[in-house]
Amino acid sequence: MKRIEIERFGGPEVLQVRDVPAPVPGPCDVLVRAHSIGVGWPDVYVRTGTYPWQHLFPMPATPGVEMSGTVAAIGSDVKRFAVGQPVYVSSGMLGMRGGCYAQARLVPEDRLIALPPELNLDSAANLAYYQVALALLEECSRGQTISTVLVSGASGGMGTALVQVAKALGHRVIATVGHDDKRAHSEAMGADCVLNYRTSDCGPAIAAATHGRGVDLWLEAYAGENLADALAHLAPWGKLVLYNATGGHPPASFFDAWRTHMAKCLSIQYFSMHVWEDDLPARRALIQRAVALMSSGKVSPPAGRHFPLEQAGDAHRLLESGRQVGRIFLRP
Ligand SMILES: NC(=O)c1ccc[n+]([C@@H]2O[C@H](COP(=O)([O-])OP(=O)(O)OC[C@H]3O[C@@H](n4cnc5c(N)ncnc54)[C@H](OP(=O)(O)O)[C@@H]3O)[C@@H](O)[C@H]2O)c1
C-alpha cells in the first residue's frame, strides 16, 4: 500500500510517497481502508516541524489528522466493527495528530468512530473541523447571549465549518474574505453578510449589519499586527476568540487599544482542541455530536478539492497559498 512519509522537515517537497506492507491488525485492531483524507494546517505544521506537539512524531512521520473509510479487516477480538462498515478516524483520538496520509491504517477498536450508513464518506472526512467549530462556538460563548458572530477567513476549511455551525446554532453570521471570488462560497454556506476585508473598510458594514451594536463573537485564526481593529467592532461584553495566530501576534500596543474599549468589557480568549488532549470520552462525545449534526442535514460540507494521495505536496502548496475555497482532501 502507499503512504506519505517525511524524513525531514521542510517544504511540500518533503512529502514523499512510499510503498509499504499493509499493516496486519492485532487482536483489538481494525484496519481502515481510506476513502477521503482531510488536509489541513496541522499537517503543514507537522511537515515544517512547527507543531507544538511535534515530539509525538518520530521520523519517518506520516501527517494527516483525519480520514473517512471502511473497515478492511478486523482483529480476532474485535466485537463492534465488521468488514465493510463505514468509519471515521480522528488522530486526536489516538493521542497524536498524524498517520492518515495513507491508503490504510490500523486503529484500536476503542478509538474508532462508527458512521451511520446515510452519512456520505466525503462529508465525513470534514468531521474534525465541524467538531472544532461546534466545540469552539459552544464553549467560547458560555454565559454570553450571542446575536451575531463574525468569522474571519470564512472561505477556508475551518471558516466554512464555523459559518455553517454558527447558522445551525441560530446565530446571525458576518463572514470576511480576502478575495471577491470567495464571496459566493460564503453566501452559499449561509453567511448573512459577506465582506471583503482587503477592498473595503468593514467597519460601516459591520455597524449596519448589527444596528450599530457590533458583533458578539469575533472568530480569528490569522491575528497579526492589525488585530486591534477587531476590538472596535465588538459589541458590549463581546469576545475576540483566537483559534490560531498564523499572521503572528499583535504588537504590544494591542493592550492600549484593548484599554481604549474598556467600557465595553471586552474579553479575549484562545481556543484549542488540545484542552481535551487527555479526555477521550469528551473527544468521542464531540465527534459524535458532529456526526449527528452532519447526519441531520443541518450542516452540509461543500465538495472541496480532491488530490490523489501521491500529490500531497500540491495539496499543501494550495493550502498554504490561502487561495482554496472550502476544504482540501487526498484520495487514496
Ligand atoms: N485551535 C484549534 O483547535 C484548531 C483546530 C483546527 C484548525 N485550527 C486552525 O484553523 C486555521 C485555519 O485552518 P484551515 O485548514 O481552515 O486553513 P485554510 O483552509 O487555508 O483557511 C485559512 C483562511 O485564512 C485566510 N488567510 C488570511 N490571511 C492568510 C495568509 N496570509 N495565508 C493564508 N491564509 C490566510 C484565508 O482566507 P482569506 O484570504 O479569504 O482571508 C484562508 O481561507 C489554521 O490556523 C489552523 O491551525 C485550529
Side-chain angles (χ1 to χ4, degrees):
M1 67 163 223
K2 293 194 189 316
R3 183 165 74 197
I4 300 292
E5 288 185 353
I6 58 170
E7 288 175 355
R8 61 185 170 83
F9 301 128
E13 71 284 353
V14 302
L15 297 162
Q16 295 290 320
V17 193
R18 298 274 182 260
D19 275 308
V20 295
V24 177
C28 299
D29 291 333
V30 176
L31 181 65
V32 177
R33 182 184 297 119
H35 172 86
S36 190
I37 301 160
V39 175
W41 277 92
D43 312 340
V44 173
Y45 300 138
V46 166
R47 192 202 75 213
T48 53
T50 51
Y51 195 66
W53 296 268
Q54 199 76 44
H55 62 279
L56 297 169
F57 300 95
M59 294 292 189
T62 296
V65 298
E66 67 179 334
M67 64 160 68
S68 63
T70 50
V71 174
I74 55 174
S76 54
D77 293 345
V78 170
K79 299 280 186 293
R80 297 197 298 270
F81 292 93
V83 172
Q85 186 174 348
V87 290
Y88 171 73
V89 181
S90 161
S91 60
M93 288 289 292
L94 301 166
M96 41 93 83
R97 294 294 186 284
C100 286
Y101 284 12
Q103 288 182 322
R105 75 174 293 183
L106 286 179
V107 181
E109 176 183 25
D110 64 349
R111 306 296 172 95
L112 191 58
I113 305 288
L115 292 176
E118 70 272 14
L119 186 54
N120 172 296
L121 281 180
D122 282 339
S123 295
N126 286 278
L127 278 164
Y129 280 8
Y130 282 78
Q131 147 206 243
V132 175
L134 199 53
L136 186 154
L137 279 159
E138 290 190 343
E139 297 297 329
C140 296
S141 63
R142 263 196 251 157
Q144 203 181 346
T145 304
I146 304 296
S147 169
T148 307
V149 175
L150 185 143
V151 179
S152 96
S155 66
M158 263 311 301
T160 298
L162 284 164
V163 169
Q164 286 202 337
V165 175
K167 287 305 296 175
L169 294 175
H171 306 319
R172 186 172 164 72
V173 175
I174 298 175
T176 68
V177 295
H179 299 272
D180 277 338
D181 57 7
K182 295 175 169 182
R183 278 174 176 280
H185 172 83
S186 291
E187 281 161 7
M189 294 303 102
D192 299 285
C193 170
V194 183
L195 307 174
N196 183 338
Y197 63 86
R198 283 190 217 270
T199 58
S200 65
D201 172 10
C202 295
I206 294 172
T210 59
H211 307 292
R213 245 188 108 248
V215 301
D216 303 294
L217 273 186
W218 180 299
L219 311 181
E220 177 70 45
Y222 186 74
E225 60 181 21
N226 297 323
L227 185 66
D229 294 349
L231 302 175
H233 308 312
L234 282 167
W237 301 102
K239 188 186 278 185
L240 169 60
V241 179
L242 297 175
Y243 57 100
N244 204 344
T246 45
H249 284 128
S253 58
F254 178 83
F255 289 93
D256 296 328
W258 192 2
R259 189 177 156 79
T260 303
H261 296 286
M262 183 163 55
K264 289 203 289 185
C265 300
L266 305 180
S267 49
I268 298 168
Q269 184 166 26
Y270 237 115
F271 173 85
S272 169
M273 287 299 290
H274 288 275
V275 73
W276 291 290
E277 198 63 22
D278 301 318
D279 190 345
L280 281 180
R283 279 195 161 274
R284 179 181 287 282
L286 265 173
I287 297 173
Q288 282 169 338
R289 289 185 52 223
V291 169
L293 189 66
M294 223 177 252
S295 302
S296 73
K298 288 184 183 150
V299 297
S300 178
R305 168 99 184 258
H306 289 77
F307 287 81
L309 179 65
E310 294 84 345
Q311 293 175 18
D314 291 335
H316 275 219
R317 284 182 193 95
L318 176 60
L319 182 74
E320 288 178 273
S321 75
R323 297 295 292 133
Q324 169 61 12
V325 171
R327 194 80 194 278
I328 300 171
F329 303 95
L330 299 176
R331 192 72 90 194

